[in-house]
Amino acid sequence: QVQLVESGGALVRAGGSLRLSCTAAAGTIYTSGVGWFRQATGKEREFVAAISWTGSSTAYADSVKGRFTISRDDAKKTVDLQMNSLKPEDTAVYYCAAARYGMTQSEGFLYDYWGQGTQVTVSS
């Protein structure tokens, strides 16, 4: 069983930056594809970014391309999401998810483990 914990959420002004981290508090994500998703109030959960288990493949939602970067540090057992040039529409609860398979995946149903989420609020 894998237990994921997100951290790094905060209140930030538009144009600012945040770095979210996803850590496996139990189990391992070493061979897992890992994704970040977000859910704004009153909206459906949406894909943000994903990275393969080797880190050689990444994918991004069009809305965050060029602003967000996903990376993984297997020594630290973390997958980070660097978010730059934040916009008010980026406000949401951000979740990380891990899949048994190591591929880069954008569909939430393909992930097996989910964290509890971390709140990101971007003020205008």
Side-chain angles (χ1 to χ4, degrees):
Q1 188 73 12
V2 177
Q3 181 181 356
L4 302 176
V5 178
E6 303 95 337
S7 62
L11 171 64
V12 64
R13 291 185 177 181
S17 298
L18 281 176
R19 189 175 185 89
L20 305 183
S21 288
C22 174
T23 301
T28 178
I29 56 173
Y30 181 74
T31 58
S32 297
V34 176
W36 283 95
F37 293 77
R38 66 187 182 187
Q39 187 166 20
T41 302
K43 295 187 177 181
E44 294 187 352
R45 183 181 65 195
E46 65 175 356
F47 169 73
V48 176
I51 189 166
S52 64
W53 78 278
T54 62
S56 61
S57 176
T58 59
Y60 297 92
D62 288 343
S63 59
V64 306
K65 280 182 181 177
R67 299 189 298 123
F68 291 10
T69 303
I70 189 170
S71 62
R72 65 189 304 154
D73 184 334
D74 290 325
K76 295 182 179 179
K77 302 179 183 179
T78 63
V79 173
D80 292 347
L81 185 68
Q82 177 66 41
M83 307 187 296
N84 299 328
S85 302
L86 283 162
K87 304 174 181 180
E89 51 263 45
D90 293 319
T91 295
V93 177
Y94 283 71
Y95 300 89
C96 73
R100 292 192 181 95
Y101 297 105
M103 305 295 288
T104 304
Q105 303 173 115
S106 61
E107 296 292 341
F109 73 89
L110 293 173
Y111 288 85
D112 303 288
Y113 307 103
W114 292 81
Q116 294 299 308
T118 186
Q119 177 70 48
V120 172
T121 303
V122 184
S123 63
S124 57

